[in-house]
Amino acid sequence: MKKKKIAIFVSGSGTNCENIIQHFAGSDLAEIALVWSNRADAFALKRAGKYGIPTIVMGKKDFEDTDKVLPVLEEYGIDFIVLAGFLLMIPDFLVQAYHRRMVNLHPALLPKYGGKGMYGHHVHEAVKAAGEQETGMTVHWVSEVCDGGEIIAQYKTPLTPEDTPDDIANKEHELEMKYFPKVIEQVINDIL
């Protein structure tokens, strides 16, 4: 069986990106073939470079152009896309081209705390403000609706009233590190 090629889309520091790269190093199932960012200063690009993985930076305007995006993915033979802290909305043409071959990680238990503007610390602050007794991570299919795709997997962690938004972020991030690469592997194994 030919190895599946994964592109990871990132906007920030890339801890999940590096964790996924490490998870698939030496895998017979899949390899990370490309790390894509909308920001030239995303630290994730340096992390990818450390492993010799090709990177691309494309701003919002170009990212909305099918004639600029799809040829790059084709050039690298991308079978599957992972959004790991990617902060641009995915254009409809890309959602359709990678239907049920593109997943997103959301740092809360969807459908709560999802949608436009709900990313990173905004999510954890909202969870704290609501007095939630648990939080978690959600992996879902990417659809045309922000954070609206079908849920693939969720993992939870308890919260205490004393937890700050930073504590909540740290607890949720531990779940990401533990489970996100395994969910990606399972999905690829099941569908591709």
Side-chain angles (χ1 to χ4, degrees):
M1 183 175 84
K2 185 175 145 284
K3 267 192 198 187
K4 301 303 177 191
K5 293 190 175 187
I6 300 172
I8 304 175
F9 285 25
V10 294
S11 294
S13 75
T15 54
N16 272 300
C17 178
E18 186 166 15
N19 193 35
I20 295 163
I21 290 167
Q22 290 173 347
H23 180 84
F24 284 100
S27 166
D28 292 332
L29 178 67
E31 65 180 312
I32 309 309
L34 181 65
V35 172
W36 184 306
S37 184
N38 61 309
R39 294 181 39 202
D41 64 345
F43 193 71
L45 299 170
K46 286 189 174 40
R47 292 182 194 268
K50 189 168 69 172
Y51 296 93
I53 294 170
T55 61
I56 187 167
V57 176
M58 189 177 288
K60 185 178 190 306
K61 186 173 183 285
D62 287 343
F63 187 64
E64 292 172 349
D65 184 341
T66 185
D67 294 329
K68 294 191 174 163
V69 173
L70 293 181
V72 174
L73 295 171
E74 196 173 298
E75 176 188 341
Y76 285 92
I78 301 303
D79 300 299
F80 195 83
I81 297 173
V82 174
L83 308 183
F86 188 66
L87 299 182
L88 293 184
M89 280 296 296
I90 303 300
D92 289 355
F93 72 82
L94 190 52
V95 173
Q96 290 153 14
Y98 281 84
H99 177 71
R100 292 187 82 82
R101 294 188 297 138
M102 182 171 13
V103 297
N104 181 47
L105 169 68
H106 187 74
L109 297 170
L110 291 175
K112 289 183 173 183
Y113 311 109
K116 192 167 171 54
M118 292 305 280
Y119 61 89
H121 225 261
H122 302 288
V123 173
H124 307 305
E125 288 167 356
V127 167
K128 173 66 178 174
E132 294 285 356
Q133 295 181 351
E134 66 180 6
T135 192
M137 60 170 273
T138 302
V139 181
H140 65 91
W141 294 112
V142 176
S143 73
E144 287 87 352
V145 178
C146 182
D147 296 327
E150 179 188 343
I151 292 171
I152 297 167
Q154 290 186 312
Y155 297 92
K156 299 176 183 180
T157 186
L159 299 176
T160 68
E162 294 75 33
D163 283 335
T164 66
D166 285 341
D167 295 331
I168 294 168
N170 290 334
K171 287 181 174 185
E172 187 275 329
H173 192 66
E174 284 179 27
L175 294 176
E176 294 176 2
M177 293 291 107
K178 183 173 181 181
Y179 294 111
F180 193 30
K182 293 175 187 173
V183 172
I184 295 164
E185 182 175 350
Q186 188 60 54
V187 169
I188 291 173
N189 211 24
D190 287 351
I191 64 152
L192 297 179

